[in-house]
Amino acid sequence: MKTGRVTLVGAGPGNPALMTLKGLRHLRRADVILYDRLAPDALLRQARPDAELIAVGKSPGDPLGRQEEINDVLVDRARRGLRVVRLKGGDPFVFGRGREEMNACAAAGVPCNVVPGISSALAAPASIGVSLTHRGAANAFAVITGRSSRSGGPPDYDWAALARIDAVVILMGHASLADVAAKLIAGGRAPDTPAVSVESATTSRQRHVTGTLANIAACAADAGLSNPIVTVIGEVARMARAEASHAARSRRARNRPLTGRRIAVTRASSSSDELFRLLRRAGAETIACPLIRAVFPPDADDADAALRRLADFDWIAFTSMHGVEGFWRRLQRSGRDARSLAGLRIAAIGPATAAALHRRGLVADATPRTFTGRDLARAILDAPHDRRSDSSARVLCPRGNLARTELESELRRAGAIAEPVEVYRTELIEPPPGAAAELTKGVDAVVFCSPSAVRQYATLRLSGGDAILAALGRTTAAALTEAGLSCGLVPESADVRALVTALGERLRREEALT
Ligand code: SAH
């Protein structure tokens, strides 16, 4: 059996675009991804749809034993011959325990290497215009932690020595900021030294407060800053640019109707997810809480048999992105490519499915105006046809095991031939522990894109408090009602764009009422 390997990949400071190209390449290829709390959602969606995603919710206060568990999982998966990515916030070797994981791999004889990332220690000051080595203001900087694993408080530094370093950058220093500041002052640093704390640097939630060494802890507390925070002490902190004015913020908020909203999405994550992109563009914080995932079985005899007689069909009708992916995998596995689809017409249920086809160089011949199986059948039957009468069209329908059969029954009702083939399976999964915790913390809306996700939500008795339960289409809405949950929103047309717009309008209306 081939041996697997582990790659420690730096995810960068929070903004997904700040990851390295090499890190992204590893992420996209990985069989297994272990990620921690600070890993951005958008990066996890770069994973292959069938990759195993394992959350290792190391948060402040978690028992230390967990590190050994993480090491064990890394080694175990690599020994099964898998490509394992350990995705770590910032840089894996800056207060990331990356070297410990590397040592564990070495001890187990598992190859392990590291892809560096942009550390928040550098990105947070940069994101507010603070240069840690600005000529005349600082010739050196130190990066320290405010929390040692032994005491929970700051480690036993030589505070007098630290007090003499031009710029001091504090990570994991939220809880102990007052303590660290007092120790630096006791070590000889002037209490009026400029200081700045940055929260969630490089993300849409970034904000910062300025003060002095003596009062920065109080200023951060007054502003309600919460983790993750980087604090910079030193003359250089004077360079922190002014926070955007209230007026500028509200102007921005008008264009971004979901600013400050937390939206959980229960669908399987994938790299091309338009829904997540639109939600974030509208200003929302997205919480990926996948309850289903698509798996592509290595064997699919029916689908392979259908592929061998593609000439028997007039159409291929795709009803999901996964259907496209699964069909494509079968095609490739059989040693063929897009040319074997020549002469066939292609229908896509909606824009996301059409986009998945487009990425493979195919343009859909028919897409219905509203995105239901019934309308897809209509679009196929009504499309001008040269070889035979419309109603006898022969349609291959690649689908998942749990997909709805509306398309096929509508086609058959009209006298057409519909042949479903299973190209993927939908598995019900438990959401990553971090996601369940985020739900409990409270969200403004939970979005469902399929009846199976609804049923899993009900089975696991998840709850988003008084969040609006939003369904992408009518069938999903009906599943909510069936499960005894109240569906708070279904857009007119079952597409993600309409859903995001409707959510923005609804939440704004609610805000106006309260
Ligand atoms: N390896 C990481 C640091 C892990 S320790 C790195 O190189 O960035 C976790 C600490 O990193 C947090 O307590 C906080 O101090 C800091 N941090 C990480 N991301 C941050 C962000 N986007 N904004 C502010 N601080 C951040």
Side-chain angles (χ1 to χ4, degrees), residues 13 38 89-91 94-96 119-121 171-172 198-201 228-230:
L38 290 176
D91 181 90
V94 176
F95 296 124
S119 174
S120 61
L171 267 58
M172 293 183 277
V198 197
E199 171 186 322
S200 299
I229 291 176
V230 162

Side-chain angles (χ1 to χ4, degrees), residues 400-429:
N401 60 323
L402 298 183
R404 309 194 56 231
T405 54
E406 194 186 37
L407 166 68
E408 292 122 55
S409 45
E410 282 297 317
L411 285 169
R412 288 186 191 129
R413 226 161 48 117
I417 296 165
E419 188 170 325
V421 284
E422 194 179 300
V423 292
Y424 71 94
R425 299 185 65 77
T426 300
E427 264 183 12
L428 305 179
I429 54 170

Side-chain angles (χ1 to χ4, degrees), residues 369-433:
R369 243 178 319 137
T370 58
F371 314 122
T372 63
R374 174 188 304 248
D375 292 323
L376 181 61
R378 268 284 123 234
I380 290 171
L381 297 165
D382 292 346
H385 204 289
D386 45 15
R387 274 195 284 159
R388 56 185 60 245
S389 77
D390 300 341
S391 57
S392 62
R394 298 162 305 179
V395 187
L396 180 64
C397 310
R399 67 210 284 302
N401 60 323
L402 298 183
R404 309 194 56 231
T405 54
E406 194 186 37
L407 166 68
E408 292 122 55
S409 45
E410 282 297 317
L411 285 169
R412 288 186 191 129
R413 226 161 48 117
I417 296 165
E419 188 170 325
V421 284
E422 194 179 300
V423 292
Y424 71 94
R425 299 185 65 77
T426 300
E427 264 183 12
L428 305 179
I429 54 170
E430 299 227 347

Side-chain angles (χ1 to χ4, degrees), residues 10 12-15 36-38 60 88-97 117-124 127 144-145 147 170-174 197-203 205-206 226-231:
N15 185 320
D36 51 32
R37 204 167 39 96
L38 290 176
K88 301 176 79 76
D91 181 90
F93 284 179
V94 176
F95 296 124
R97 307 189 72 172
I118 299 179
S119 174
S120 61
L122 303 179
S127 69
I144 68 169
T145 171
R147 182 164 56 90
I170 307 162
L171 267 58
M172 293 183 277
H174 187 37
S197 287
V198 197
E199 171 186 322
S200 299
T202 76
T203 73
R205 298 179 305 281
Q206 168 172 332
S226 68
N227 272 323
I229 291 176
V230 162
T231 298

